[in-house]
């Protein structure tokens, strides 16, 4: 008797579960364009920072196309420093007895930045949709490439609110310059060679995404 009741209840339960899952994926399986916007708090590598420090208020716009759980999107962001720190950007310097080595970057510091990137995102069809993404982009005015990963949660429904955390890795190219250090300060240049390193940035953003259909 219990088995019979279970079999009779199974189709309605499966139907309810299917409708619930479908509600979490309002785009269905057909390609659907979308737009979105977000506000964020971002931190940047020291090498990018101007007089305002590491914290930046960030405004973002994005657009793309979604196929069910997958989406391809492009994003543009404007970052403005929140701080009022003193300008202490002197570069990285290593002192020795009679010489010193410093990293010379091919860009200047700034309190305002822009970022453009493209990313691929996967969103789960669960009661609380989870989104993960990866991509790459370009950072200005320093003209530096970067790669990124992102993870966050979304509200179900047609218009989705989203909370995401982005981790970025910036590829910084620079010259290592060694100079003589005498009684009167820096002297002749002894050597110069190219080098690069990866520096990280972090952003926490909240926004919304709207399908265009």
């Amino acid at each position: 008797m219990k088995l019979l009741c279970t079999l009779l209840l199974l189709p309605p339960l499966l139907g309810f579960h299917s409708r619930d899952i479908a509600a979490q994926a309002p785009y269905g399986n057909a390609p659907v364009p979308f737009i979105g916007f977000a506000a964020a708090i971002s931190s940047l590598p020291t090498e990018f920072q101007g007089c305002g420090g590491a914290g930046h208020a960030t405004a973002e716009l994005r657009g793309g196309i979604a196929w069910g759980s997958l989406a391809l999107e492009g994003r543009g962001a404007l970052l403005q420093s929140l701080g009022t720190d003193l300008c202490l950007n002197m570069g990285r310097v290593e002192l020795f007895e009679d010489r010193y080595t410093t990293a010379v970057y091919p860009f200047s510091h700034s309190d305002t930045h822009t970022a453009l990137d493209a990313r691929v995102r996967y969103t789960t069809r669960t009661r609380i949709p989870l989104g993960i993404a990866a991509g790459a982009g370009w950072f200005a005015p320093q003209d530096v490439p970067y790669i990124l990963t992102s993870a966050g949660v979304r509200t179900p429904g047609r218009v989705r609110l989203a909370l995401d955390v982005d981790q970025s890795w910036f590829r910084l190219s620079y010259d290592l310059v060694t100079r003589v250090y005498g009684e009167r300060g820096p002297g002749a240049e002894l050597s110069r060679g190219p080098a690069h390193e990866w520096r990280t940035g972090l952003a926490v953003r909240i926004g919304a995404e709207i399908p265009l259909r």
Side-chain angles (χ1 to χ4, degrees):
M1 186 66 180
K2 290 182 179 181
L3 178 59
L4 179 61
C5 291
T6 301
L7 292 175
L8 291 174
L9 288 173
L10 187 58
L13 288 175
L14 289 176
F16 175 80
H17 182 67
S18 299
R19 290 192 299 271
D20 179 66
I21 293 300
Q24 317 309 320
Y27 300 153
N29 293 319
V32 177
F34 64 87
I35 59 172
F37 58 89
I41 297 296
S42 307
S43 66
L44 296 176
T46 303
E47 290 78 7
F48 295 163
Q49 298 168 22
C51 299
H56 287 69
T58 304
E60 302 182 358
L61 290 176
R62 65 182 182 274
I65 188 165
W67 296 268
S69 295
L70 292 176
L72 175 64
E73 66 178 31
R75 183 195 70 122
L78 175 65
L79 299 84
Q80 176 63 50
S81 176
L82 291 171
T84 56
D85 298 342
L86 296 176
C87 289
L88 298 176
N89 295 299
M90 302 297 293
R92 188 173 69 249
V93 179
E94 299 176 9
L95 294 175
F96 300 92
E97 291 183 359
D98 58 353
R99 59 189 175 89
Y100 76 100
T101 299
T102 184
V104 178
Y105 295 92
F107 51 77
S108 60
H109 303 279
S110 176
D111 287 326
T112 303
H113 310 269
T114 57
L116 294 173
D117 62 55
R119 59 184 73 186
V120 176
R121 189 181 71 220
Y122 174 80
T123 304
T124 63
R125 298 189 179 190
T126 54
R127 184 173 295 276
I128 300 178
L130 305 176
I132 55 174
W138 195 258
F139 194 81
Q142 285 74 22
D143 291 333
V144 170
Y146 64 94
I147 58 176
L148 66 95
T149 59
S150 177
V153 294
R154 280 158 172 72
T155 59
R158 177 178 170 81
V159 177
R160 294 186 174 188
L161 300 179
L163 176 64
D164 295 293
V165 177
D166 287 8
Q167 178 76 59
S168 301
W169 290 265
F170 300 89
R171 189 184 189 278
L172 306 188
S173 298
Y174 57 92
D175 286 340
L176 278 178
V177 179
T178 300
R179 293 181 179 272
V180 173
Y181 194 85
E183 294 181 357
R184 298 183 179 181
E189 183 177 307
L190 298 177
S191 65
R192 177 185 291 261
H196 74 271
E197 63 185 355
W198 290 89
R199 301 299 301 272
T200 61
L202 185 70
V204 178
R205 56 192 175 97
I206 184 169
E209 186 176 294
I210 305 166
L212 298 177
R213 67 172 188 182

